[in-house]
Amino acid sequence: GFCVPAVEAMSMSIPVVAIGAGAIAETVGDAGLVWDTGEPDVLAASIKRLVCDKKLSEELGQRGRRRFVSAFSAAAVDTVFSRIIGEVP
């Protein structure tokens, strides 16, 4: 389902490593590193990448913040709800 911890991290410009299953990968999009289920070595490598590559870590943090503002902030949600409500007869 929807991944609140990932959205909270993105809201604070914290880079995210997320599992590539279901809505979690969709929630994170290109704003984080996504790893496949059942591959702990890939998870470890992704975390190590973020720790060792400060430029990547900062870029993903910035992407996450932009994604949060555009898709998950109160203003973004209000826009979507207003559009949906406006479509109801």
Side-chain angles (χ1 to χ4, degrees):
F2 185 75
C3 187
V4 172
V7 173
E8 289 176 342
M10 290 187 300
S11 76
M12 296 183 289
S13 302
I14 297 171
V16 175
V17 176
I19 193 165
I24 297 171
E26 183 180 333
T27 300
V28 173
D30 71 345
L33 300 178
V34 178
W35 64 285
D36 292 324
T37 305
E39 295 185 29
D41 292 343
V42 176
L43 171 60
S46 296
I47 293 170
K48 185 176 180 180
R49 249 180 101 191
L50 287 179
V51 170
C52 295
D53 187 340
K54 296 299 180 192
K55 185 176 179 180
L56 174 64
S57 182
E58 289 176 13
E59 172 62 28
L60 291 178
Q62 291 170 2
R63 279 191 216 167
R65 177 67 186 166
R66 287 191 301 268
R67 182 159 175 72
F68 169 78
V69 169
S70 69
F72 304 112
S73 67
V77 172
D78 180 58
T79 299
V80 171
F81 280 142
S82 295
R83 188 184 74 231
I84 291 170
I85 290 170
E87 292 174 0
V88 175

